[in-house]
Amino acid sequence: MQLIFRYILFVFIIGFGSVAHAQNPVIQHMSKLSNLPDVEFYDIAEDNQNYIWLAANKGLYRYNGKTYEQFTHPEQKSNSLFQLKFDTENRLWCNNVYGQLFYVENDRLQLFYDASQLVNGQLAQFEILENSIRLFTVIGIFDINKTTKQVTEVFKGMCITNVRDHDSNYTFIINFEGELKRHRLYKLGKKKRTKILEITSANRIQSPKLFAFKNDVFLIHNSAKGNILYVIDKAENTSKKITIPLRLQNETIYNILNFDNEYWFLTSSGVFVYEFENEFFTFKEQLFSTESVTDIQIDFNNNYWFTTLDNGVFVSPNLNIRRVELSTIESKITASLALQNNDFVLGTNDGKLLFYNQNQLIKTLQLPGKKIIGKLYFDAETEQLIVSINASESFVVDLKTDKITDVKNRFSVAKTFSKINDSTLFYGNYRQGIVYKKAFNNPEKQILKESRVKASVVSGNALFVSYIDGLYKYNCNTFSSEEIQYNSASLLVNAIANTNGTIWLATQHNGLLKYEQNTLQPSGIKLPKNLQINTILSDGWLLWIGTDSGLFQYHTKTNELKSLSAQDGLNTAVNSLLVLQNQLVVVLPNGFYTLPKQYGLFKVFKTAKVRVEAVSINDRDTLISSSYKLPHDFNKIGLKFNSNGFQSNQHVNYQYRVQEIDSSWQNIPLNTHFVNFNSLSSGTYTFELKAQNISTKNPVFAAPITFVIAKPFWETYWFYGLVLLTVFGWIWLYFRWRLQQKEGQRIAEIDKILIDKKITNLRLENLRSQMNPHFIFNALNSIQDYIISNEKELASSYLVKFSRLIRMYLDYSQQNEITLDEELNALKLYLELEKVRFEDELEYKITIDNQLKTKQIKVPSLFIQPYVENALKHGLLHKLNDRKLHIEAKIIQQNKLEITVEDNGIGRAQSEKLKRPNQQHKPFATKANEERVHLYKNKLKRDIAITTYDLYDENDVAAGTKVVITMPIH
C-alpha cells in the first residue's frame, strides 16, 4: 500500500519590502571592477565624448572605462564639488560650498569666479545662460558675465532653491515681513517675473526642492507631518498641493528623475518608481532599498549608473534582468521546471519544492526526508508533478491538493521526460529508456533500450532519444527505431529541442545540428567558435540556447541571432533555463535570474569614439598631432588609445593597421590599449585604428596619424652623389695608380732585361777572361808535356780536369746565381790546374765555416774566380817561392756571408811597377765584376761589398793582398 504524505509548510510569502529587495536589477559595483576613489558621491554626468564625470566628497573625477582621473585647482578651497552641468560648448561646470565656480577646459579644472562673498557659506544653485552664469544665493540672484566677470543683481531676496525649465527659472524665495516669513515661488522669464505660489508661515519651510520635467514641475518641502508636494501647471502658472505617496512621506528625497514617463524618487531608502497621471502617483517598484541614492545617469549604451552617499557607485547593465537570491532558506537548487503561464517550481538538495508566481514565492512543499531532487516533470492535463530523486525514489505531487505520493523508484534518477500522448510518457534514466502507459495509475512499462539517456523530445509521431551511444528516432505507435548518424558516425547529443517540426541537436563534438525533413545538417546559426552549449529550449519560432558564455536567442524564421552576456548583466553560464509565458528564468544553485521575453531584454550596443590619448617618441611623451616629421633616429613610436564606456577595457576590441607595413588589420589583445613600434625605418607611415564593441557589428575609426621619418644622411641623394663622386675619384686614382704601377713595372722589366743583358755580358766577359788564350795555351802545353814525357795518366787526369772546368764555366755562365758549393768547386778545379802552371810552387787553402749551408746559399756565378786569378797573376806569379793563397768563407754579423781571398804575393804597388806601359788599366775581369756589384747593389738591391787590403810585414814591406767580399746570405 502506498504511503501518502501531505506537507504544506508555507503557502504565501507576503511583504512588499522583501519581495522588492529580492528582485533588484543585476548590478556591478564599481569598487569591485576598478579602484573607485571614494564612497560618497553627489552627482554624475556623461559628456559627448562618453566620459563619466563624478562629483564626490574627495573631488571631481573622470572615468574613461578603465581608470579615474582627478581634476583639482590650486586655489580650490574644498575638495567636495556639486551640481555637474554642461554648457553649449560641452564644458563641465560645478561649484562648492565656498561659492567657487569651476569649469573644465583642455582637460584642466579652471576657476571661473569666487563668489564666497555672495553665498555666505551656503551651497548655491547656478544655471548656465548664454552669456553669463546665474547664481541663486541666500541674499539674491546674480548674473556673472562669462567674459568680464562683472556681477549684476537680478533679484533681491533669500533664494532657497531653483530649477531651470527651457528659458525660464522656477525659484523659491523667502521674504521677511516682520515675524512672518513669506515663501514665494516665482517663475522668472527673460523679461517677466510671475508669482505662482505664496506660503505664509512663522516658521521657515525646511529643505524645499524644485524639479522640472516635460509636463510637470514639482515643489517638495518638509513639514512636521512629513513631506509636502505641490505640482505646478506650467501653462497656467498655477500650483496645487497633492497627496504625496505614503511610502515617500518620511523619506529624505535627494532627487527626482523622469525615465520613460516614470518618476524616480531618489531617497535614503533607494529608488521609488511611480507613474503620475491625473495628479495621482501609482507605485511601480522600489529598487535598492538599503542604498542612499543621490543621482542616476543612463550612458550611451543604456547602462544605469547609480551614485550613493555611502556605498560608492554601482552600474546596472540592464534593469530588466533581475536576480532573486534564496536568502531565506539554506538550500541549493538542484532542479527546476516551468509550470503554466508564469508559474515555475524549484527543487532543492534537501527535498523542498519552491513554487513561484510572477517571481514571488507563493508556497513551499517539503518531501519526506532531505532528498536531493534531480528532475521534475509536470503533466498539465492532470496537474500532476513528478519529482525524481537522485536515488531509488520518486514522488508524484497533486498540485490541486498538494498531496504527495511515494511511487518508489518508478521515476527515480530521471534524466528526461517526454509526453508522447495523453496516456503515454517516455522516461529516461541513467541506464534505460522506458515508455509508461498510464504513468500515474497502474503503469505499463516498456523498455526501449538499455543505455544511459541524455535527452529526448517528441515531434509529431516521432520520439527522438539521445543515448550515451547514439541518437535514435522511434515511431510513437510501434516504437520501432532507427539510429540517426552524422557522417556515418554515432552522435552524442546533450540537449534536444523542437521548433515547428525542426529538431535541434546540441552535440558534444559536432556543434549545433538540425534535423529537418529526414535530413541531418549543420544548424547554420553563426554562433561563436568553440562554444559550449548546455541547454536548448523552443518557444514558438524562437530557439533559446544556453551556453557557458551567456544566452542566445535565434529566430528560426528570420534567422536573426541575439545574445545576452556579461556585458548585459548576465554574468553566468546558463546551464538551466525555463521559458515561461512572459519571461525567462535562468536558474542558479542559490537563486535565479528573471528576464522579460519581450520589452527591453536585448540592448543595441554602441562603440564610443576611439581616440589616441598619448603619443611617445623615443619613450618621451609628445603633443598629439595628426602628423609628425621626425629625424631618422627618432623612430621608436608608442601610441596609447581608448574608447570610453562602462568596462570598455573588457568589451571593446581594437585593431590597427599601418598602411605602409600591413596589408590587413592587426588584432590587439583584449584589455590592451597601446601599440609600440620599436624601430621604424625611414619612410611615411599612416597609423589607422578602429574599435568595436564585442556586441556590435560596425567598428568606429580614430583619426589617422601620419609619421614621416626622414632618411639618415647616408641615404639621401646628395650623399649618394657624394659617394658616387668619391667612388669615381677613387676608381680614377686607382686606375691612375695601376697605370703608374704598370708603367713602373714596364720600366722595371725593361731595366731587368737590360740588367740581365748586362750581367750576361759581364758573365761572358768574365768567362772570356777566364778562358783567355794564355790560360788555355798553358793548360794545353802542360797536357802536351805530359804526353811527350809519356805520363799518360797525368795527361789524362789534367785533361779531364780541364774539360770539367770548361764545362762548369759554360754551364755557370748561363745562370745569374749558383750555389756557394758550386762556386767553390769550380775554384778548386781552377786552382789545381793553375798549380801545375806554377810547377807545384803554389800552396792554396780553402776554409769553409761549418755553419754555412753551401749547397743552399746562392752567390753570383763565377764571382770569386776573378779575384783568385788576380792574386795568382799579379801577386804570386812574380814571387819565386813560398807562394801561398788562402780562400775563406764564413758567416759574420747580420747574417752575412764573408769570402776572403788572401795571398802572400808582391802586393799591388810592386805589381803595378812590373806592368808594361800598355797595361796600365785594371784587368778586365775585375772591372766586369765591379760593374756586376754595381748592378746588384743599385738595381737588384743586393748589398754586395768588395774591399781590397794591402798587407805589410813588421818592416812595412809589402806582404801580399787581401780581398774581402761580403754579401747577404741568399
Side-chain angles (χ1 to χ4, degrees):
M1 181 178 179
Q2 293 183 336
L3 297 177
I4 299 176
F5 303 91
R6 195 168 188 175
Y7 294 84
I8 305 177
L9 302 183
F10 305 101
V11 180
F12 285 92
I13 297 179
I14 301 174
F16 169 80
S18 61
V19 173
H21 173 68
Q23 297 185 38
N24 279 328
V26 292
I27 62 169
Q28 298 188 49
H29 206 287
M30 293 303 294
S31 62
K32 296 181 180 179
L33 302 177
S34 59
N35 295 320
L36 191 66
D38 203 347
V39 294
E40 185 175 340
F41 292 88
Y42 312 122
D43 294 281
I44 184 171
E46 182 184 37
D47 64 17
N48 63 357
Q49 299 295 318
N50 305 123
Y51 286 107
I52 296 294
W53 294 86
L54 297 165
N57 180 53
K58 294 181 180 179
L60 178 65
Y61 296 90
R62 186 175 72 179
Y63 175 70
N64 65 359
K66 59 182 189 300
T67 58
Y68 299 89
E69 181 181 3
Q70 186 175 16
F71 287 74
T72 60
H73 192 276
E75 298 179 28
Q76 187 175 342
K77 295 179 180 179
S78 172
N79 290 331
S80 302
L81 294 173
F82 305 86
Q83 302 186 75
L84 303 181
K85 299 179 181 181
F86 293 100
D87 63 14
T88 55
E89 299 176 14
N90 199 45
R91 293 183 301 182
L92 180 73
W93 292 74
C94 55
N95 69 342
N96 59 21
V97 294
Y98 286 91
Q100 292 177 304
L101 286 162
F102 300 93
Y103 65 93
V104 177
E105 190 172 49
N106 297 325
D107 289 337
R108 299 188 66 180
L109 186 64
Q110 308 287 348
L111 176 62
F112 170 70
Y113 190 78
D114 189 336
S116 56
Q117 299 298 321
L118 302 177
V119 302
N120 292 336
Q122 300 294 319
L123 181 63
Q125 291 181 298
F126 69 92
E127 294 293 342
I128 304 172
L129 307 182
E130 183 177 357
N131 298 314
S132 62
I133 301 298
R134 177 162 290 181
L135 192 63
F136 301 85
T137 75
V138 293
I139 62 173
I141 302 175
F142 302 91
D143 281 351
I144 306 171
N145 188 278
K146 289 182 179 180
T147 305
T148 64
K149 310 293 178 65
Q150 181 178 352
V151 180
T152 303
E153 186 178 55
V154 178
F155 187 87
K156 188 172 185 178
M158 179 181 287
C159 180
I160 303 301
T161 184
N162 172 83
V163 68
R164 184 173 179 81
D165 181 52
H166 301 293
D167 294 331
S168 301
N169 283 94
Y170 291 87
T171 306
F172 192 77
I173 296 173
I174 300 178
N175 296 114
F176 297 93
E177 296 180 5
E179 294 183 356
L180 291 177
K181 298 177 180 61
R182 298 188 179 275
H183 305 82
R184 293 169 177 161
L185 176 63
Y186 289 94
K187 180 180 181 181
L188 303 178
K190 289 184 177 180
K191 297 180 179 180
K192 183 179 180 181
R193 181 171 65 192
T194 304
K195 184 174 73 172
I196 297 176
L197 172 67
E198 179 172 339
I199 304 172
T200 302
S201 172
N203 298 318
R204 182 186 299 181
I205 289 177
Q206 299 297 315
S207 303
K209 294 183 179 68
L210 282 166
F211 305 95
F213 304 102
K214 180 179 179 181
N215 299 318
D216 308 294
V217 175
F218 293 155
L219 169 63
I220 294 180
H221 68 83
N222 292 341
S223 70
K225 296 181 180 180
N227 291 324
I228 305 298
L229 175 62
Y230 292 87
V231 61
I232 287 86
D233 188 321
K234 295 166 64 174
E236 299 296 331
N237 291 329
T238 59
S239 63
K240 182 178 181 180
K241 182 178 180 181
I242 63 174
T243 302
I244 193 168
L246 181 64
R247 293 181 176 85
L248 299 175
Q249 279 188 356
N250 297 307
E251 291 290 344
T252 300
I253 300 174
Y254 302 116
N255 202 350
I256 304 176
L257 302 173
N258 186 280
F259 299 124
D260 297 328
N261 293 322
E262 292 181 340
Y263 289 91
W264 293 41
F265 289 80
L266 314 186
T267 74
S268 56
S269 299
V271 179
F272 292 87
V273 181
Y274 287 89
E275 288 183 348
F276 182 67
E277 190 175 2
N278 298 326
E279 300 178 357
F280 181 79
F281 286 98
T282 302
F283 176 75
K284 298 288 291 183
E285 61 179 335
Q286 182 184 3
L287 305 175
F288 314 116
S289 60
T290 60
E291 305 290 350
S292 295
V293 181
T294 56
D295 200 4
I296 300 175
Q297 175 68 43
I298 305 176
D299 68 14
F300 72 105
N301 268 330
N302 288 320
N303 297 304
Y304 284 70
W305 297 69
F306 295 82
T307 58
T308 69
L309 278 181
D310 53 12
N311 195 27
V313 179
F314 52 87
V315 180
S316 176
N318 194 327
L319 288 181
N320 295 296
I321 299 178
R322 305 295 176 95
R323 175 159 180 160
V324 179
E325 300 287 347
L326 296 185
S327 56
T328 57
I329 58 174
E330 296 180 358
S331 305
K332 287 187 177 181
I333 301 172
T334 55
S336 60
L337 180 68
L339 300 176
Q340 292 177 315
N341 300 323
N342 290 310
D343 294 345
F344 62 96
V345 59
L346 305 177
T348 70
N349 63 343
D350 56 0
K352 290 187 179 67
L353 292 171
L354 310 177
F355 292 87
Y356 285 84
N357 175 262
Q358 299 290 345
N359 304 327
Q360 297 183 24
L361 182 63
I362 56 174
K363 68 179 176 182
T364 300
L365 297 181
Q366 176 68 58
L367 298 177
K370 292 188 176 182
K371 315 290 186 182
I372 299 177
I373 300 174
K375 192 72 177 178
L376 298 171
Y377 171 75
F378 175 66
D379 185 81
E381 183 179 353
T382 62
E383 295 189 47
Q384 302 275 353
L385 179 67
I386 297 177
V387 182
S388 177
I389 307 300
N390 284 347
S392 298
E393 293 183 272
S394 59
F395 298 88
V396 174
V397 181
D398 189 335
L399 296 187
K400 296 188 295 292
T401 62
D402 294 333
K403 182 177 70 173
I404 301 174
T405 303
D406 186 351
V407 293
K408 309 288 184 193
N409 63 349
R410 186 188 306 172
F411 304 111
S412 64
V413 199
K415 300 299 180 183
T416 179
F417 291 97
S418 291
K419 186 174 183 178
I420 298 174
N421 52 48
D422 290 343
S423 61
T424 308
L425 177 69
F426 174 79
Y427 149 68
N429 58 34
Y430 72 100
R431 63 186 182 89
Q432 291 175 329
I434 301 172
V435 171
Y436 282 116
K437 291 185 177 180
K438 301 178 181 179
F440 298 103
N441 297 304
N442 301 317
E444 298 177 11
K445 180 178 179 182
Q446 180 181 352
I447 298 176
L448 299 183
K449 182 176 173 61
E450 293 283 351
S451 181
R452 184 185 183 93
V453 180
K454 299 282 289 183
S456 65
V457 73
V458 173
S459 176
N461 195 41
L463 168 67
F464 294 85
V465 181
S466 168
Y467 296 96
I468 195 69
D469 54 356
L471 175 68
Y472 288 81
K473 177 182 178 182
Y474 292 91
N475 183 290
C476 289
N477 296 323
T478 63
F479 292 107
S480 59
S481 66
E482 62 173 314
E483 184 180 5
I484 300 175
Q485 294 185 331
Y486 185 67
N487 293 333
S488 301
S490 297
L491 283 171
L492 178 58
V493 179
N494 296 322
I496 308 177
N498 174 23
T499 58
N500 300 300
T502 300
I503 305 301
W504 302 87
L505 308 169
T507 68
Q508 184 72 28
H509 306 293
N510 302 104
L512 187 62
L513 306 176
K514 68 177 179 180
Y515 184 79
E516 194 173 36
Q517 296 179 353
N518 295 325
T519 302
L520 186 61
Q521 58 187 328
S523 66
I525 304 175
K526 295 181 180 180
L527 294 169
K529 295 181 179 179
N530 302 319
L531 187 68
Q532 177 61 46
I533 299 176
N534 302 319
T535 184
I536 51 177
L537 293 173
S538 62
D539 185 19
W541 290 105
L542 297 178
L543 182 69
W544 295 96
I545 306 170
T547 73
D548 283 349
S549 301
L551 181 64
F552 293 84
Q553 181 202 73
Y554 178 70
H555 198 292
T556 58
K557 199 170 185 178
T558 64
N559 298 324
E560 183 180 12
L561 181 68
K562 298 179 181 179
S563 67
L564 292 173
S565 62
Q567 189 174 192
D568 300 271
L570 191 62
N571 192 18
T572 183
V574 179
N575 294 303
S576 180
L577 177 68
L578 304 180
V579 179
L580 307 181
Q581 184 177 12
N582 297 325
Q583 68 177 16
L584 304 172
V585 179
V586 177
V587 182
L588 306 174
N590 55 359
F592 56 88
Y593 290 95
T594 63
L595 298 76
K597 289 170 61 175
Q598 304 298 328
Y599 173 76
L601 179 58
F602 295 99
K603 298 197 302 184
V604 178
F605 284 94
K606 302 176 184 177
T607 306
K609 182 180 179 181
V610 59
R611 293 177 299 276
V612 175
E613 296 183 331
V615 176
S616 65
I617 300 174
N618 285 7
D619 296 324
R620 297 185 63 180
D621 290 338
T622 185
L623 294 176
I624 298 176
S625 174
S626 60
S627 63
Y628 296 85
K629 292 185 177 181
L630 305 172
H632 73 93
D633 53 345
F634 282 62
N635 59 351
K636 184 179 181 181
I637 310 297
L639 301 103
K640 295 180 179 179
F641 41 84
N642 188 58
S643 175
N644 295 332
F646 174 58
Q647 283 194 288
S648 62
N649 57 331
Q650 300 294 331
H651 304 313
V652 175
N653 285 322
Y654 298 95
Q655 290 181 308
Y656 77 91
R657 179 176 65 184
V658 179
Q659 288 185 355
E660 290 73 13
I661 300 176
D662 305 310
S663 59
S664 60
W665 290 91
Q666 305 298 312
N667 291 320
I668 300 173
L670 193 64
N671 200 19
T672 300
H673 299 261
F674 63 88
V675 170
N676 291 323
F677 302 95
N678 289 327
S679 182
L680 290 175
S681 57
S682 58
T684 301
Y685 302 92
T686 301
F687 177 79
E688 297 176 315
L689 177 70
K690 66 179 180 179
Q692 183 175 357
N693 188 292
I694 58 177
S695 297
T696 62
K697 295 181 179 179
N698 299 317
V700 296
F701 294 84
I705 298 178
T706 301
F707 297 92
V708 180
I709 300 177
K711 295 181 178 180
F713 71 89
W714 58 83
E715 292 183 4
T716 56
Y717 291 114
W718 67 264
F719 182 78
Y720 290 153
L722 181 61
V723 169
L724 288 174
L725 184 62
T726 303
V727 169
F728 285 132
W730 280 107
I731 292 174
W732 179 80
L733 291 174
Y734 171 77
F735 280 106
R736 182 182 178 187
W737 172 76
R738 287 291 296 166
L739 289 174
Q740 291 176 345
Q741 189 180 49
K742 287 184 177 181
E743 181 67 17
Q745 289 176 351
R746 189 179 66 82
I747 294 172
E749 288 175 357
I750 293 173
D751 288 345
K752 186 175 184 301
I753 292 171
L754 293 176
I755 291 170
D756 290 343
K757 183 177 180 182
K758 184 70 173 176
I759 291 175
T760 301
N761 291 333
L762 292 174
R763 288 201 309 268
L764 292 174
E765 289 178 3
N766 209 359
L767 176 63
R768 186 172 59 187
S769 69
Q770 294 165 2
M771 299 179 66
N772 61 74
H774 181 70
F775 170 72
I776 296 174
F777 174 77
N778 288 338
L780 294 176
N781 191 41
S782 297
I783 294 171
Q784 183 181 9
D785 289 342
Y786 285 134
I787 294 173
I788 295 173
S789 301
N790 200 26
E791 295 180 10
K792 296 179 180 180
E793 293 182 1
L794 290 174
S796 175
S797 174
Y798 196 92
L799 182 60
V800 169
K801 291 179 181 179
F802 178 72
S803 63
R804 284 175 59 195
L805 181 61
I806 296 301
R807 182 180 296 142
M808 284 182 182
Y809 285 163
L810 292 175
D811 289 342
Y812 296 164
S813 66
Q814 304 300 317
Q815 303 177 43
N816 285 335
E817 291 181 330
I818 61 175
T819 65
L820 180 60
D821 182 69
E822 292 172 333
E823 180 78 9
L824 294 176
N825 288 334
L827 279 176
K828 289 179 184 179
L829 198 56
Y830 169 73
L831 288 173
E832 288 180 5
L833 294 177
E834 286 287 11
K835 188 175 180 180
V836 174
R837 175 186 171 190
F838 282 89
E839 297 178 352
D840 291 330
E841 290 296 329
L842 175 65
E843 181 181 346
Y844 70 89
K845 182 180 180 182
I846 298 176
T847 306
I848 302 172
D849 191 342
N850 293 331
Q851 296 181 1
L852 286 175
K853 298 179 181 180
T854 58
K855 293 184 178 181
Q856 297 179 6
I857 297 173
K858 296 283 188 176
V859 296
S861 61
L862 304 176
F863 191 76
I864 304 173
Q865 191 272 342
Y867 301 101
V868 174
E869 180 183 352
N870 284 342
L872 295 175
K873 182 177 181 180
H874 301 290
L876 296 176
L877 180 63
H878 301 291
K879 191 174 181 179
L880 299 178
N881 53 28
D882 192 23
R883 297 177 180 126
K884 293 182 180 180
L885 178 66
H886 183 214
I887 300 171
E888 184 182 12
K890 63 181 180 180
I891 295 177
I892 62 174
Q893 60 181 358
Q894 298 179 351
N895 199 28
K896 285 189 176 182
L897 171 66
E898 182 181 87
I899 300 173
T900 304
V901 179
E902 183 179 348
D903 65 79
N904 63 345
I906 62 176
R908 289 188 297 173
Q910 186 64 26
S911 175
E912 288 292 327
K913 293 178 181 180
L914 297 177
K915 286 183 180 180
R916 294 190 295 274
N918 60 350
Q919 291 181 338
Q920 297 299 316
H921 57 271
K922 289 184 178 180
F924 110 137
T926 303
K927 184 178 179 181
N929 254 17
E930 288 179 354
E931 291 187 18
R932 288 177 73 186
V933 170
H934 177 77
L935 290 174
Y936 274 113
K937 290 182 68 174
N938 296 314
K939 299 296 182 180
L940 300 180
K941 305 302 180 182
R942 288 197 66 181
D943 187 16
I944 299 177
I946 301 174
T947 308
T948 304
Y949 300 96
D950 294 318
L951 303 178
Y952 297 91
D953 60 10
E954 63 273 10
N955 297 319
D956 202 23
V957 177
T961 305
K962 181 179 180 181
V963 179
V964 180
I965 304 170
T966 59
M967 64 180 71
I969 294 177
H970 180 63

